[in-house]
Amino acid sequence: MKKNLLALAALCLLSSGAAHAQAADGPSPWLVRARAVHLDSANKDSTGLGLSINDKTIPEVDISYFFDKNIAAELVLTVPQKQDVRSDALGAQIGTLKHLPPSLMIQYHFDAPGFTPYVGAGINYTRFSSVRLPAGVSIDKSSWGGALQLGVDIPLTKNLSLNFDIKKVYIRTDVAANGAKLGTLKIDPVLAGVGLGWRF
């Protein structure tokens, strides 16, 4: 009886070790992507000045953590971006600003043969700085808004993947002249990106 119990215990230990080794061989929960992203702003303005910022291509780095094979959280990062501010009513550029727009997304990754599509939703915080506008004109320095996402990862190797991603981000700021609110500039860009991801 003791021999049988010892044999059973040894079998359990071996099975546990094999299961642990298999889990260790699975994919890491961390994924880092680098993307080139084109920022295309909606530029909806209620001030009467026809305010807008320019479209541009920006760098983006994203860090994802997978809670399981389908659910992940992604932190979207870039560096402060300098933008020209234009007034269509005046027919000229009237200043510049910088904005830093990190987003935090919760994603669902679908199971599909040969590629992994995903959808995401989350929150964006944008910080405006280095604002250079005509004397007396100011904007709110912070913006909170929603963010939506649709993308796909296409494996190239075991760890490397090609990524296509599109996001809609809601960014807006109130515009004032000498302390009196003129209206709201809704930047609300669509960001279309392509890049590479590394699972480690």
Side-chain angles (χ1 to χ4, degrees):
M1 183 68 175
K2 288 183 178 179
K3 288 183 179 180
N4 289 338
L5 289 175
L6 288 173
L8 182 59
L11 181 61
C12 289
L13 286 173
L14 289 173
S15 299
S16 175
H20 180 74
Q22 185 177 2
D25 290 338
S28 164
W30 293 100
L31 171 64
V32 175
R33 299 187 187 92
R35 298 188 186 109
V37 176
H38 182 71
L39 184 150
D40 184 6
S41 300
N43 289 327
K44 297 178 181 178
D45 175 38
S46 63
T47 66
L49 296 173
L51 297 178
S52 63
I53 67 170
N54 61 299
D55 299 334
K56 65 185 300 186
T57 298
I58 66 175
E60 186 180 281
V61 173
D62 310 307
I63 303 170
S64 296
Y65 180 84
F66 283 77
F67 299 100
D68 58 34
K69 68 174 184 175
N70 299 113
I71 306 296
E74 181 182 70
L75 180 61
V76 182
L77 301 169
T78 185
V79 295
Q81 298 297 320
K82 185 176 181 180
Q83 307 277 167
D84 297 331
V85 181
R86 180 178 174 83
S87 168
D88 290 341
L90 300 176
Q93 179 180 328
I94 62 170
T96 60
L97 57 79
K98 289 184 179 180
H99 74 288
L100 180 64
S103 296
L104 180 62
M105 314 292 290
I106 298 297
Q107 302 170 330
Y108 185 85
H109 294 251
F110 297 91
D111 297 320
F115 64 99
T116 307
Y118 60 86
V119 294
I123 190 167
N124 168 266
Y125 171 73
T126 296
R127 177 68 179 174
F128 296 98
S129 63
S130 301
V131 179
R132 304 286 185 266
L133 294 172
V137 179
S138 62
I139 63 172
D140 285 347
K141 295 298 181 70
S142 297
S143 168
W144 290 93
L148 300 172
Q149 181 182 41
L150 180 65
V152 62
D153 288 309
I154 303 171
L156 300 177
T157 67
K158 180 181 177 181
N159 300 103
L160 186 67
S161 60
L162 177 64
N163 175 259
F164 297 96
D165 182 272
I166 186 166
K167 290 183 284 290
K168 175 68 175 181
V169 181
Y170 294 89
I171 301 172
R172 56 197 61 191
T173 183
D174 291 335
V175 182
N178 298 314
K181 181 178 175 180
L182 295 178
T184 302
L185 172 60
K186 298 179 181 180
I187 299 171
D188 295 351
V190 171
L191 299 105
V194 60
L196 295 174
W198 182 260
R199 191 82 176 255
F200 65 95

